[in-house]
Amino acid sequence: ELKVEQNPLFLSMQEGKNYTIYCNYSTTSDRLYWYRQDPGKSLESLFVLLSNGAVKQEGRLMASLDTKARLSTLHITAAVHDLSATYFCAVAPMDSNYQLIWGAGTKLIIKP
Amino acid sequence: NAGVTQTPKFQVLKTGQSMTLQCAQDMNHEYMSWYRQDPGMGLRLIHYSVGAGITDQGEVPNGYNVSRSTTEDFPLRLLSAAPSQTSVYFCASSPLAGGPGIGQFFGPGTRLTVL
């Protein structure tokens, strides 16, 4: 069974701190996506990682992909309250890359 | 551009009723998909389409039908609603190149309750 596991599932942190969300997956893939969802809202694409070693950065968020370890990380630097949201990773399996498999999401709360 | 639009925003059905959730996009995207989102489970793919006239099943297709007669529209039909189909449904679209998205664009969602 294909699995995408995120951890932690819930994270409460203080503003100004750094933290990392992990996304492990069980299938061969070279394509991984990170999305953000605010409460009661739709999803917004953050990053698309298309190869081993890919690194993308936008503001205080940085995502990376290690296809050999089947691991992606989303690093938050000097967190601010506006980054509070649920973050999802999704993987496109190599043998079926039109079908994304999603992690359960990491709910991030950043306290002032 | 309106992006991806979904109607209705909210719907309550009784068990056994049928209905169609509408999805439209105005970005000329080839790829369109339907997901359901349940608490604590992330998103699960129901059906997807890579172009007009082409559809395929995702992870949880049972109880749902789709069609893609135009590039713009991708309706999702619930054949005989069941309480297990209570969920939030999202439609998404993206250009086809590079698989499902160089970032998919999501609609606002439809919150469905089946009694």
Side-chain angles (χ1 to χ4, degrees):
Chain A
E1 181 186 352
L2 303 178
K3 287 187 177 179
V4 178
E5 295 182 340
Q6 288 182 237
N7 69 83
L9 297 181
F10 179 82
L11 177 59
S12 179
M13 56 193 290
Q14 296 292 127
E15 278 192 330
K17 299 291 187 182
N18 303 333
Y19 210 82
T20 300
I21 299 171
Y22 298 89
C23 175
N24 293 272
Y25 54 96
S26 65
T27 185
T28 304
S29 173
D30 62 357
R31 187 171 300 147
L32 189 137
Y33 305 80
W34 284 97
Y35 286 84
R36 168 181 173 148
Q37 185 178 37
D38 292 312
K41 302 293 186 182
S42 188
L43 288 91
E44 174 190 358
S45 176
L46 293 175
F47 300 110
V48 181
L49 303 169
L50 297 177
S51 62
N52 187 41
V55 177
K56 294 278 185 75
Q57 183 163 6
E58 180 73 32
R60 300 174 188 274
L61 300 178
M62 184 174 72
S64 65
L65 178 61
D66 182 342
T67 59
K68 293 178 182 177
R70 299 183 180 176
L71 171 69
S72 179
T73 60
L74 180 66
H75 187 73
I76 303 149
T77 301
V80 294
H81 178 68
D82 287 351
L83 291 179
S84 297
T86 298
Y87 293 86
F88 292 93
C89 64
V91 173
M94 290 279 274
D95 60 352
S96 180
N97 61 5
Y98 293 123
Q99 301 195 43
L100 295 189
I101 307 297
W102 293 71
T106 296
K107 185 172 184 178
L108 177 63
I109 296 177
I110 300 171
K111 300 177 181 178
Chain B
N1 285 351
V4 180
T5 58
Q6 290 183 238
T7 55
K9 286 188 166 54
F10 301 93
Q11 183 70 49
V12 178
L13 293 178
K14 294 181 179 178
T15 297
Q17 287 185 315
S18 63
M19 78 160 296
T20 298
L21 307 184
Q22 301 292 343
C23 174
Q25 53 92 7
D26 61 359
M27 297 172 282
N28 202 31
H29 287 165
E30 300 97 332
Y31 184 87
M32 295 187 75
S33 56
W34 275 103
Y35 293 94
R36 59 178 289 172
Q37 183 176 33
D38 300 299
M41 295 186 69
L43 277 72
R44 290 182 292 170
L45 182 65
I46 304 171
H47 286 284
Y48 67 96
S49 169
V50 297
I54 305 169
T55 64
D56 207 344
Q57 296 181 353
E59 188 181 355
V60 288
N62 292 343
Y64 308 94
N65 274 354
V66 292
S67 60
R68 184 97 180 266
S69 56
T70 67
T71 299
E72 294 77 21
D73 300 299
F74 191 45
L76 177 73
R77 282 182 288 278
L78 278 70
L79 307 174
S80 177
S84 61
Q85 293 179 305
T86 294
S87 188
V88 179
Y89 291 84
F90 287 102
C91 178
S93 76
S94 73
L96 189 58
I102 303 297
Q104 294 186 79
F105 293 81
F106 279 79
T110 295
R111 189 173 296 273
L112 175 68
T113 301
V114 182
L115 303 175

Coordinates of all heavy atoms in Angstrom, one line a residue, chain B residues 54-92:
Chain B
I54 N -11.7 12.1 -21.6 CA -10.8 11.1 -21.0 C -10.9 11.2 -19.5 O -10.6 12.3 -18.9 CB -9.3 11.3 -21.4 CG1 -9.2 11.3 -22.9 CG2 -8.4 10.3 -20.7 CD1 -7.8 11.8 -23.4
T55 N -11.4 10.2 -18.8 CA -11.4 10.2 -17.4 C -10.9 8.8 -16.8 O -10.8 7.8 -17.6 CB -12.9 10.3 -16.9 OG1 -13.7 9.2 -17.3 CG2 -13.5 11.6 -17.4
D56 N -10.5 8.9 -15.6 CA -10.0 7.6 -15.0 C -10.2 7.7 -13.5 O -10.5 8.8 -12.9 CB -8.5 7.5 -15.2 CG -8.1 6.0 -15.2 OD1 -8.8 5.2 -14.7 OD2 -7.0 5.7 -15.7
Q57 N -10.2 6.5 -12.9 CA -10.5 6.4 -11.4 C -9.3 6.7 -10.6 O -8.1 6.4 -11.0 CB -10.9 5.0 -11.1 CG -12.2 4.6 -11.8 CD -12.6 3.1 -11.5 OE1 -11.9 2.4 -10.8 NE2 -13.8 2.8 -11.9
G58 N -9.5 7.3 -9.4 CA -8.5 7.5 -8.5 C -8.5 6.5 -7.4 O -8.9 5.3 -7.6
E59 N -8.3 6.9 -6.2 CA -8.1 6.0 -5.0 C -9.5 5.6 -4.5 O -9.6 4.4 -4.0 CB -7.4 6.8 -3.9 CG -6.9 6.0 -2.7 CD -6.2 6.9 -1.7 OE1 -6.0 8.1 -2.0 OE2 -5.9 6.4 -0.6
V60 N -10.5 6.4 -4.5 CA -11.8 6.1 -3.9 C -12.9 6.4 -4.9 O -13.8 7.3 -4.6 CB -12.0 6.9 -2.6 CG1 -11.1 6.3 -1.5 CG2 -11.7 8.4 -2.7
P61 N -13.1 5.7 -6.0 CA -14.1 6.1 -7.0 C -15.5 5.5 -6.8 O -16.4 6.0 -7.4 CB -13.5 5.4 -8.3 CG -12.8 4.2 -7.8 CD -12.2 4.6 -6.4
N62 N -15.6 4.6 -5.9 CA -16.9 3.9 -5.7 C -18.0 4.9 -5.3 O -17.8 5.6 -4.3 CB -16.8 2.7 -4.8 CG -16.0 1.6 -5.3 OD1 -15.7 1.5 -6.6 ND2 -15.5 0.7 -4.5
G63 N -19.1 4.8 -6.0 CA -20.3 5.7 -5.6 C -20.3 7.0 -6.4 O -21.2 7.8 -6.2
Y64 N -19.3 7.2 -7.2 CA -19.1 8.5 -7.9 C -18.9 8.3 -9.4 O -18.2 7.3 -9.8 CB -17.9 9.3 -7.4 CG -17.9 9.5 -5.9 CD1 -17.1 8.7 -5.1 CD2 -18.5 10.6 -5.3 CE1 -17.0 8.9 -3.7 CE2 -18.4 10.8 -4.0 CZ -17.7 10.0 -3.2 OH -17.6 10.2 -1.8
N65 N -19.5 9.2 -10.2 CA -19.2 9.1 -11.7 C -18.8 10.5 -12.1 O -19.2 11.5 -11.5 CB -20.5 8.8 -12.4 CG -20.7 7.3 -12.6 OD1 -19.8 6.5 -12.2 ND2 -21.8 6.9 -13.1
V66 N -18.0 10.5 -13.2 CA -17.6 11.8 -13.7 C -17.7 11.7 -15.3 O -17.8 10.6 -15.8 CB -16.1 12.2 -13.4 CG1 -16.0 12.5 -11.9 CG2 -15.2 11.1 -13.8
S67 N -17.7 12.9 -15.9 CA -17.6 13.0 -17.3 C -16.8 14.3 -17.7 O -16.7 15.2 -16.8 CB -19.0 13.0 -18.0 OG -19.7 14.1 -17.5
R68 N -16.2 14.3 -18.8 CA -15.5 15.5 -19.2 C -15.8 15.8 -20.7 O -15.1 15.3 -21.6 CB -14.0 15.3 -19.1 CG -13.1 16.5 -19.4 CD -12.8 17.3 -18.1 NE -12.0 18.4 -18.4 CZ -10.6 18.4 -18.4 NH1 -10.0 17.3 -18.1 NH2 -10.0 19.6 -18.6
S69 N -16.9 16.5 -20.9 CA -17.3 16.7 -22.3 C -16.6 17.9 -22.9 O -16.5 18.1 -24.1 CB -18.8 16.9 -22.4 OG -19.3 17.9 -21.5
T70 N -16.2 18.8 -22.0 CA -15.4 20.0 -22.5 C -14.2 20.2 -21.6 O -14.1 19.6 -20.6 CB -16.3 21.3 -22.3 OG1 -16.5 21.6 -20.9 CG2 -17.6 21.2 -23.0
T71 N -13.2 21.0 -22.1 CA -12.0 21.2 -21.3 C -12.4 21.9 -20.0 O -11.8 21.7 -19.0 CB -11.1 22.1 -22.1 OG1 -10.7 21.4 -23.3 CG2 -9.8 22.4 -21.3
E72 N -13.4 22.8 -20.0 CA -13.7 23.6 -18.9 C -14.4 22.9 -17.7 O -14.3 23.3 -16.6 CB -14.6 24.8 -19.3 CG -13.9 25.8 -20.3 CD -13.9 25.2 -21.7 OE1 -14.7 24.3 -22.1 OE2 -13.0 25.7 -22.5
D73 N -15.3 22.0 -18.0 CA -16.2 21.4 -17.0 C -15.9 20.0 -16.6 O -15.6 19.2 -17.5 CB -17.6 21.5 -17.5 CG -18.1 22.9 -17.8 OD1 -18.0 23.8 -16.9 OD2 -18.4 23.2 -19.0
F74 N -16.0 19.7 -15.3 CA -15.7 18.4 -14.8 C -16.7 18.1 -13.7 O -16.3 18.1 -12.5 CB -14.3 18.3 -14.4 CG -13.8 16.9 -14.1 CD1 -14.1 15.8 -15.0 CD2 -13.0 16.6 -13.0 CE1 -13.6 14.6 -14.7 CE2 -12.5 15.4 -12.7 CZ -12.8 14.3 -13.6
P75 N -18.0 17.7 -14.0 CA -18.9 17.5 -12.9 C -18.7 16.1 -12.2 O -18.3 15.1 -12.9 CB -20.3 17.5 -13.7 CG -19.9 17.1 -15.1 CD -18.5 17.7 -15.3
L76 N -19.1 16.1 -11.0 CA -19.0 14.8 -10.2 C -20.4 14.5 -9.8 O -21.1 15.3 -9.1 CB -18.1 15.1 -8.9 CG -18.0 13.9 -8.0 CD1 -17.1 12.8 -8.5 CD2 -17.4 14.4 -6.6
R77 N -20.8 13.3 -10.1 CA -22.1 12.8 -9.8 C -22.1 11.8 -8.7 O -21.3 10.8 -8.7 CB -22.8 12.2 -11.0 CG -23.3 13.2 -12.0 CD -24.0 12.6 -13.2 NE -23.1 12.0 -14.1 CZ -22.4 12.6 -15.0 NH1 -22.5 13.9 -15.2 NH2 -21.5 11.9 -15.8
L78 N -22.9 12.0 -7.6 CA -23.2 11.0 -6.6 C -24.4 10.2 -7.0 O -25.5 10.8 -7.2 CB -23.4 11.7 -5.3 CG -22.1 12.1 -4.5 CD1 -21.4 13.3 -5.2 CD2 -22.4 12.4 -3.1
L79 N -24.3 8.9 -7.1 CA -25.3 8.1 -7.7 C -26.4 7.9 -6.7 O -27.6 8.0 -7.1 CB -24.7 6.8 -8.2 CG -23.5 7.0 -9.2 CD1 -22.9 5.7 -9.5 CD2 -23.9 7.8 -10.4
S80 N -26.1 7.5 -5.5 CA -27.0 7.2 -4.5 C -26.3 7.5 -3.1 O -25.6 6.7 -2.6 CB -27.5 5.7 -4.5 OG -28.4 5.4 -3.4
A81 N -26.6 8.7 -2.6 CA -25.8 9.2 -1.5 C -25.9 8.3 -0.3 O -26.9 7.8 0.0 CB -26.2 10.7 -1.2
A82 N -24.7 8.2 0.4 CA -24.7 7.5 1.6 C -24.0 8.3 2.7 O -23.2 9.2 2.3 CB -23.8 6.2 1.4
P83 N -24.3 8.1 4.0 CA -23.7 8.9 5.0 C -22.1 8.9 5.0 O -21.5 9.9 5.3 CB -24.2 8.2 6.3 CG -25.5 7.7 5.9 CD -25.3 7.2 4.5
S84 N -21.5 7.8 4.4 CA -20.1 7.8 4.3 C -19.5 8.8 3.3 O -18.3 9.0 3.2 CB -19.6 6.3 3.9 OG -20.2 6.0 2.7
Q85 N -20.4 9.3 2.5 CA -20.0 10.3 1.5 C -20.0 11.8 2.1 O -19.7 12.7 1.4 CB -20.8 10.2 0.3 CG -20.5 8.9 -0.5 CD -21.4 8.8 -1.7 OE1 -22.6 8.9 -1.7 NE2 -20.7 8.5 -2.9
T86 N -20.4 11.9 3.3 CA -20.3 13.2 4.0 C -18.8 13.6 4.1 O -18.0 12.9 4.6 CB -20.9 13.1 5.4 OG1 -22.3 12.8 5.4 CG2 -20.6 14.4 6.2
S87 N -18.5 14.8 3.5 CA -17.1 15.2 3.3 C -17.1 16.6 2.7 O -18.1 17.1 2.4 CB -16.4 14.2 2.4 OG -15.0 14.4 2.4
V88 N -15.9 17.1 2.6 CA -15.7 18.3 1.8 C -15.0 17.8 0.5 O -14.0 17.1 0.5 CB -14.8 19.3 2.5 CG1 -14.6 20.5 1.7 CG2 -15.4 19.7 3.9
Y89 N -15.6 18.3 -0.6 CA -15.1 17.9 -1.9 C -14.4 19.1 -2.6 O -15.0 20.2 -2.7 CB -16.3 17.5 -2.8 CG -16.9 16.2 -2.3 CD1 -17.8 16.1 -1.3 CD2 -16.5 15.0 -2.8 CE1 -18.3 14.9 -0.8 CE2 -17.0 13.7 -2.4 CZ -17.9 13.8 -1.3 OH -18.4 12.6 -0.9
F90 N -13.3 18.8 -3.1 CA -12.5 19.8 -3.8 C -12.3 19.4 -5.3 O -11.9 18.2 -5.5 CB -11.1 20.0 -3.2 CG -11.2 20.8 -1.9 CD1 -11.1 20.1 -0.7 CD2 -11.3 22.2 -1.8 CE1 -11.1 20.8 0.5 CE2 -11.4 22.9 -0.6 CZ -11.3 22.2 0.6
C91 N -12.4 20.3 -6.2 CA -12.0 20.2 -7.6 C -10.7 20.9 -7.8 O -10.5 22.0 -7.2 CB -13.2 20.7 -8.4 SG -12.8 20.6 -10.2
A92 N -9.9 20.4 -8.6 CA -8.6 21.0 -8.9 C -8.3 20.9 -10.4 O -8.7 20.0 -11.0 CB -7.5 20.4 -8.0

